[in-house]
Amino acid sequence: LHQNPKKALVIGLGSGITVGSVLTHPVDAVDVVEISPEVVEASRFFAHVSGSPLDDRRVKLSGSDAKDFLHLQPDAKYDAIVSEPSNPWIAGIGNLFTVEFFAEAKQHLGEGGIMIQWIHAYEMNDETLEIIFNSFSHVFDHVTVWHPRNADIILAGSATPLAVSFPELERRIATPTVHADLNRPGGTAAIRNAVDFLSVQILSSAAFKTAYAGKENLNSDLFPTLEYEAPKTFYLGEKAVDFYRRDERLRPRRYTGLLLHDYLGESEPADSELEGFIRFFSEGKSRTDDLHMKRLLYLLIVRSMQAGSPASAHIDEYLARGNHALYGQLALWRTKIAAGEMTPAAWAAYRRFEAESLRSTVSVFASPD
């Protein structure tokens, strides 16, 4: 997304795969901050998938705390900061999700710099996730949300709107090292082209600001609410779902500000490209059916909701099976309605679906009384 990234900072080494991915791009220097020496030692066992990034001459490893690392070098500037710490239910990790930390990171971004923040949706309820979203938007004027298939949530924050050069984006994705990394065997989100990449954006800056900016429930150094709320959701095994419902990909094109719509305004993808994309998202495990169907819906919207398009045919096929998660099926029906593709027979089928949904999910309808 950055126009000319030369220097990057990665917070949290983990297995080293993220650092290895950064190095597939022509960056000049990458600072890595990892507070745990055991993690650094263990990362060596992942060299066969990470590419041994710590052996790269461009990488400089620091064993300090990320907040101290930034605070003690006030003049350091980065084109991209990727923050991927541990889960915030672990003691002390909430400090890397505070308003103060995001503000410190923002001060270390150069002109056009972007901060990437990883967040998980599992064992995290909507209220707790909203604390992070609100805190991030409290600092960054422009925030977009990305959600690759089978993966976690990614926030991209910047001081100015993202200015993406689509020809440059196409060129980068086609670069052999980058393309191989984005399509590694066993990966959770294969990215083969610009359509694949841009399609994982689920919220534009305007939509994110409407939903989360200006809220008072923030995570800060003086009021570390995340430190205490996150362990509760972990213990209860809850899952955040509200951000799914805000997914802009489910809206008609004229009501969204997603980058893919701008891209399609310049370059309409070929049917073969879209059909491959559809097949990719229609294959997978049942636990991700909702995500697959949302992508299929989105393709229908992308194709100006044309009846008979490849996406439309696949959606009808999914509805005919009728064995998918209720929320996913409901999303399919809603988009068919919005697309104006509902025949009298389709309306009758939709009413039967609604009745069956009520009977199976609402207790009062489950009883003959």
Side-chain angles (χ1 to χ4, degrees):
L1 293 174
H2 194 280
Q3 293 304 292
N4 187 31
K6 293 301 180 183
K7 188 174 183 180
L9 167 65
V10 177
I11 298 170
L13 174 64
S15 61
I17 293 177
T18 296
V19 182
S21 293
V22 172
L23 292 170
T24 63
H25 297 270
V27 292
D28 295 334
V30 181
D31 287 343
V32 181
V33 181
E34 175 53 61
I35 195 171
S36 172
E38 292 83 2
V39 169
V40 175
E41 181 181 358
S43 70
R44 299 291 183 180
F45 292 97
F46 297 88
H48 60 293
V49 285
S50 66
S52 301
L54 297 182
D55 296 334
D56 193 296
R57 60 175 179 79
R58 295 172 291 173
V59 173
K60 182 179 179 181
L61 177 66
S62 173
S64 63
D65 173 77
K67 295 182 75 172
D68 292 341
F69 177 84
L70 289 175
H71 193 66
L72 293 174
Q73 47 173 357
D75 296 329
K77 296 293 182 180
Y78 298 95
D79 299 310
I81 296 177
V82 181
S83 183
E84 195 175 9
S86 298
N87 307 76
W89 61 66
I90 298 173
I93 300 300
N95 292 336
L96 298 183
F97 291 92
T98 62
V99 170
E100 291 84 356
F101 176 70
F102 293 145
E104 183 84 59
K106 181 182 178 181
Q107 293 176 6
H108 286 77
L109 289 174
E111 185 177 356
I114 302 172
M115 180 172 184
I116 298 297
Q117 177 65 59
W118 165 88
I119 313 172
H120 64 92
Y122 56 89
E123 293 167 337
M124 169 86 77
N125 62 19
D126 292 319
E127 293 75 17
T128 306
L129 185 63
E130 189 174 278
I131 292 173
I132 301 175
F133 282 1
N134 296 344
S135 303
F136 199 76
S137 65
H138 187 78
V139 172
F140 291 98
D141 297 325
H142 299 275
V143 182
T144 56
V145 184
W146 305 70
H147 189 51
R149 191 190 80 164
N150 291 350
D152 296 320
I153 306 166
I154 299 170
L155 302 181
S158 56
T160 58
L162 292 177
V164 180
S165 166
F166 296 130
E168 175 64 13
L169 178 64
E170 293 171 334
R171 186 194 67 78
R172 290 185 188 177
I173 293 176
T175 302
T177 55
V178 176
H179 194 270
D181 184 57
L182 293 174
N183 293 273
R184 62 173 67 231
T188 58
I191 302 294
R192 299 155 300 183
N193 49 55
V195 173
D196 285 355
F197 176 78
L198 296 173
S199 70
V200 303
Q201 183 190 4
I202 67 173
L203 279 178
S204 64
S205 177
F208 186 87
K209 184 175 297 185
T210 299
Y212 300 106
K215 302 291 182 65
E216 295 182 357
N217 50 336
L218 306 175
N219 184 49
S220 67
D221 288 341
L222 291 178
F223 296 93
T225 53
L226 193 63
E227 184 85 5
Y228 300 94
E229 293 301 323
K232 296 177 186 176
T233 62
F234 171 73
Y235 177 76
L236 295 172
E238 295 180 319
K239 183 176 182 180
V241 295
D242 184 62
F243 75 96
Y244 286 116
R245 300 189 182 101
R246 300 180 187 274
D247 194 335
E248 277 189 271
R249 294 170 301 185
L250 300 180
R251 302 178 189 174
R253 290 181 64 178
R254 62 184 179 276
Y255 297 130
T256 73
L258 298 175
L259 287 169
L260 180 55
H261 294 160
D262 296 336
Y263 174 79
L264 291 174
E266 300 178 17
S267 173
E268 181 72 9
D271 279 348
S272 59
E273 190 175 32
L274 280 176
E275 287 173 0
F277 183 67
I278 294 167
R279 283 195 302 273
F280 172 73
F281 280 115
S282 63
E283 298 167 355
K285 300 177 181 178
S286 59
R287 66 185 176 87
T288 54
D289 272 345
D290 284 356
L291 295 183
H292 300 329
M293 282 185 277
K294 285 178 181 179
R295 267 71 169 189
L296 293 173
L297 282 174
Y298 183 53
L299 285 174
L300 180 61
I301 296 170
V302 164
R303 299 294 285 179
S304 301
M305 300 183 183
Q306 297 173 358
S309 69
S312 180
H314 277 268
I315 288 174
D316 289 335
E317 178 187 343
Y318 263 58
L319 284 172
R321 295 180 192 174
N323 61 346
H324 300 287
L326 289 175
Y327 180 72
Q329 290 187 68
L330 180 60
L332 284 170
W333 279 115
R334 285 177 175 171
T335 299
K336 272 187 77 72
I337 293 170
E341 294 189 12
M342 296 292 283
T343 62
W347 276 112
Y350 173 66
R351 293 188 184 98
R352 289 195 297 271
F353 162 76
E354 270 198 330
E356 181 56 37
S357 300
L358 288 172
R359 280 193 292 271
S360 62
T361 60
V362 184
S363 59
V364 69
F365 291 100
S367 169
D369 297 334

